[in-house]
Amino acid sequence: MSAPLDTQPSSGWLDGREHVLPVRIYYEDTDFTGMVYHANYLRYFERGRSDFFRLAGISHTELLALAEPTAFTLVRVEVDYRKAARVDDALLVRTRYDAVQGARLLVSQRIVRGDDLIAEAKLQAVCIDLRGRARRPPPDMVEKLRPYFAP
């Protein structure tokens, strides 16, 4: 038996200025009620942001290998939980990078199941050096994200 041609996990796709990442809910994602544990939505949002970067040509590994290594940390997260997700649900994480303001990246995210809004978030991520100090994002990274910023 031969391996499939593409053995890499899916990074989702770009839909206009929005990134879309499919996520399947497994039993391990749920709590004793059978619903997705609230903190797991933050994990899905993180995957959406990271895979958006990947498809936009931005690598976390390459950012860390720069002469001035760069990483990100969240400084603000607002999440509104609208409906419950359950085991075997097929969800879509929809991510938008709205703008760069100084060292901050402004991000909007939604998790949907069909037409149902499950959760939505507004986040601020700060670009930092390895000492944890805020710094402006590398210009090359900003240029790769620019086509996706809000008009």
Side-chain angles (χ1 to χ4, degrees):
M1 186 170 178
S2 63
L5 294 177
D6 185 6
T7 59
Q8 294 298 309
S10 171
S11 291
W13 62 89
L14 293 167
D15 181 14
R17 58 178 284 260
E18 192 170 51
H19 174 263
V20 183
L21 179 69
V23 173
R24 172 75 62 190
I25 301 303
Y26 297 100
Y27 183 76
E28 68 184 14
D29 296 317
T30 63
D31 62 17
F32 72 95
T33 67
M35 293 182 275
V36 171
Y37 181 65
H38 72 278
N40 286 334
Y41 292 101
L42 296 175
R43 294 173 50 220
Y44 309 146
F45 287 136
E46 175 69 32
R47 292 176 197 170
R49 292 189 308 277
S50 293
D51 280 331
F52 191 130
F53 264 25
R54 188 171 287 110
L55 288 183
I58 301 165
S59 163
H60 286 288
T61 304
E62 290 173 7
L63 290 172
L64 288 172
L66 292 172
E68 294 181 34
T70 300
F72 294 91
T73 188
L74 294 179
V75 294
R76 183 170 183 80
V77 178
E78 296 177 40
V79 180
D80 291 316
Y81 301 96
R82 304 294 186 185
K83 293 190 177 189
R86 299 180 180 275
V87 70
D88 288 333
D89 278 354
L91 307 178
L92 296 176
V93 180
R94 302 187 72 93
T95 303
R96 288 187 199 185
Y97 279 91
D98 296 317
V100 172
Q101 294 178 346
R104 295 178 187 266
L105 289 171
L106 307 181
V107 187
S108 300
Q109 294 185 277
R110 297 177 295 135
I111 297 175
V112 297
R113 179 185 53 227
D115 292 332
D116 291 333
L117 177 61
I118 303 300
E120 58 187 335
K122 294 281 188 187
L123 305 101
Q124 290 183 22
V126 171
C127 187
I128 58 171
D129 64 21
L130 295 186
R131 294 180 308 273
R133 293 188 183 130
R135 65 174 303 250
R136 289 190 180 274
D140 183 52
M141 187 198 93
V142 174
E143 284 309 308
K144 289 178 179 176
L145 287 177
R146 190 170 310 284
Y148 305 105
F149 293 152

